[in-house]
Amino acid sequence: ILDNVEFVAIYGDKYRGIDVSQKNGIVNWRQVANSGIDFAMIRIGYRGYRGATLVLDDQAIYNLREAKSFGIKVGVYFVTQATNYWEGQEEANFVLNNLNGHTINGFIVIDVEWAGGGEGKNGRADYISKEDRTQAIKGFCERIRSAGYNPMIYANKDWLNNKMNLSELSSYQVWLAHYVKGAPNNKSDYKGNYLYWQYTNTGVVKGINGFVDRNKGF
């Protein structure tokens, strides 16, 4: 369970992070730690965007174990396709069950975005109402909080502004995805509050083959 006040006090604006999934292959966490990465958000799983099956990320347990072993602070995220409150709770229970004794010192995040990362996939939750999406997020976050962890909402600027009712979710931290030219020196113009900022999907970090998402924490 995260002591966020202590965490931010330790790292402040030097809080440098990545997020990874099985798409990043087998990560060399020793090299990642030596490259100055402070925290890692690890995909623990996702819901299928058509069949609705809950799936564990192939690299989740390895990434959790190895990242922690090299002193990196870890949180996890789950890519939702929940369409209502109870499916949000179901996804949260899946995450909690699959942590399976692995302690984390970061947030447990519901990742809210287009199925497959872009419009046109016709995911089961792509075109639900703002009200239904807000309820699905609530279901996830309330269950995570009831288990003693700190929930967080990940979405891009457009989704935060237009596809959920953030006024009903104000007790949860936000992880903003917004790729800005010249980032991270040039900041996002998103007007809401956010604790994490995913500023590029073309980061390069030693120990990871290919590009990786880079993040800042505040």
Side-chain angles (χ1 to χ4, degrees):
I1 300 174
L2 172 68
D3 183 344
N4 189 51
V5 174
E6 178 185 3
F7 197 23
V8 173
I10 292 170
Y11 289 104
D13 60 7
K14 296 181 180 178
Y15 196 21
R16 298 161 304 232
I18 57 173
D19 57 273
V20 298
S21 71
Q22 65 192 43
K23 297 174 185 177
N24 298 102
I26 299 176
V27 175
N28 184 324
W29 287 101
R30 181 188 299 276
Q31 292 184 352
V32 171
N34 290 339
S35 70
I37 294 299
D38 301 311
F39 74 98
M41 300 303 296
I42 293 166
R43 187 176 77 165
I44 194 163
Y46 61 93
R47 184 190 287 272
Y49 66 82
R50 289 182 181 160
T53 304
L54 303 179
V55 181
L56 182 69
D57 187 288
D58 288 345
Q59 295 297 313
I61 304 307
Y62 167 84
N63 283 334
L64 277 169
R65 182 184 68 243
E66 294 298 307
K68 287 191 302 178
S69 74
F70 291 105
I72 295 172
K73 305 294 184 182
V74 296
V76 297
Y77 68 96
F78 184 91
V79 184
T80 183
Q81 278 286 299
T83 60
N84 57 52
Y85 182 91
W86 299 112
E87 286 190 349
Q89 293 240 312
E90 180 186 30
E91 292 177 352
N93 284 324
F94 176 87
V95 172
L96 294 168
N97 290 337
N98 281 285
L99 283 176
N100 195 27
H102 288 273
T103 58
I104 64 169
N105 43 24
F107 290 89
I108 296 181
V109 180
I110 182 169
D111 177 331
V112 191
E113 58 181 288
W114 292 115
E119 188 172 6
K121 298 288 187 181
N122 295 317
R124 64 196 300 275
D126 280 356
Y127 298 104
I128 61 176
S129 68
K130 288 173 64 172
E131 291 73 22
D132 286 344
R133 183 172 293 111
T134 300
Q135 287 302 310
I137 295 168
K138 277 186 180 179
F140 184 95
C141 291
E142 288 179 2
R143 178 67 187 98
I144 294 301
R145 181 169 281 170
S146 74
Y149 294 92
N150 287 324
M152 176 180 266
I153 302 162
Y154 167 96
N156 68 28
K157 176 184 169 183
D158 175 57
W159 279 56
L160 289 168
N161 284 333
N162 301 310
K163 298 187 184 299
M164 63 187 77
N165 296 319
L166 266 186
S167 61
E168 297 180 33
L169 303 167
S170 58
S171 66
Y172 306 117
Q173 297 283 3
V174 168
W175 175 9
L176 167 69
H178 187 200
Y179 305 157
V180 179
K181 186 176 180 179
N185 293 326
N186 292 341
K187 305 303 182 186
S188 170
D189 62 357
Y190 175 65
K191 303 302 184 186
N193 294 321
Y194 55 99
L195 188 64
Y196 288 1
W197 173 33
Q198 184 188 81
Y199 61 86
T200 182
N201 61 353
T202 56
V204 176
V205 173
K206 192 172 183 180
I208 301 176
N209 293 323
F211 292 133
V212 65
D213 298 341
R214 291 295 306 266
N215 298 271
K216 296 280 283 185
F218 303 99

